[in-house]
Amino acid sequence: MARNSLGGEPVTLKTIAAELGVSVTTVARALKDGHKVGPEMVLKVRKTADRLGYVRNLEGAKLRTGKTLVIMAFLSFTEEEEIGDSGSVGLLQGIHKRLADTDYSVRAVPVAMGDLALEQVSDVVRGRSADGLILDHTELQDERVKLLLEVDVPFVTYGRTELLSPHAWFDIDNEFAVWQSTTALLQDGYRRVALVDGDLRYSYVRQRVRGYEKALHEYGIELDPALIHHDMLNADRARKAAVKLLDSGADSFVCVNELTFLGARAGARDRLGAGVNRLGFALRSGTNIGEYVATKVYTSHYSRQEAGWKLADLLLKRIEGTSPEDCQELVKTTLRVNGASHEAL
């Protein structure tokens, strides 16, 4: 609530309803999500609310609904200092955009790469300090997911699990993405394609390996384990790995993200100098990094902000009671070359 412009009584839903000659229910719906209210009325109500200086009393809403109006996002961050990692930042921007017209706020909990933060998730559950959670970097038998299913707390994961109980998730088709980028390199004539990827404990990494194997099989190329490198998502480690992969005969690289691409390219430059430009590079990306590097690079692209938006949207649906089976979405990447759209694979 707020005092009206004349310094009189606080501005409430009733104030706005009386001003417009409509019901309080109409005003409430228009200010919340526009459900069952026409777009013209939504605009009229919101403009009137702004003019009168209406401010929603969130503390009152929390008391009436018993909700915290908080969403907790447990997002993995690398410890990279030289380059940085825009992945979780992009997700957060998307989450904020989806929540902008709601009463919800998001609290980001940075989690070290490789740490499930199970104890922190348990603390949120015990303290009832959030109405829903967003989790990334899911494992096949994710302990966080098991816990949240047991206590029936709304949540959504960025990635799938292999648990039998259904749960809400949003995911990029990682198998398709790596098939797509590996095939692009094979079409360019490369035959010793190396895969620089994350730890196999994560669901998305196993999916990516399947896509890599599928592309090689379609070109009649036998899988060479010496051309596959699994490690933490770290540019320095990728840089060192690239040298070993080149020694094993690699003529191109499929990288899991921007960090590993920059690291692998630096390692190849260390070994080959200007010859690095003879190599092929591809990665899954949520940015336009291809526009800013001299090397030709394929990116299997899907916006991280869009991913964050969808994660928040699915979680809001779960909070409102939509079934987990109806809160699952798999999307495909689009192929780009140096930031420009490429013929679809």
Side-chain angles (χ1 to χ4, degrees), residues 176-211:
F176 172 80
V178 176
W179 170 86
Q180 182 183 61
S181 52
T182 303
T183 298
L185 293 173
L186 293 169
Q187 287 181 343
D188 279 353
Y190 297 103
R191 290 297 179 267
R192 298 283 292 170
V193 183
L195 179 65
V196 184
D197 220 302
D199 194 312
L200 280 168
R201 68 190 282 192
Y202 298 118
S203 305
Y204 75 91
V205 177
R206 292 176 180 266
Q207 295 157 7
R208 287 174 57 81
V209 171
R210 288 198 294 268

Side-chain angles (χ1 to χ4, degrees), residues 146-179:
K146 291 179 182 179
L147 169 66
L148 294 172
L149 286 171
E150 286 180 7
V151 297
D152 196 26
V153 171
F155 71 96
V156 61
T157 61
Y158 188 15
R160 290 159 282 170
T161 67
E162 291 188 354
L163 295 170
L164 295 178
S165 300
H167 63 83
W169 54 260
F170 168 79
D171 202 7
I172 292 169
D173 192 333
N174 290 285
E175 181 174 340
F176 172 80
V178 176
W179 170 86

Side-chain angles (χ1 to χ4, degrees), residues 53-54 85 130 145 156 175 236 254 270 282 284 290-291 325 328 333:
Y54 172 78
D85 178 12
V145 174
V156 61
E175 181 174 340
D236 186 56
V254 174
D270 294 340
R284 198 194 84 183
E291 295 184 24
E325 294 89 343
Q328 300 172 343
T333 53

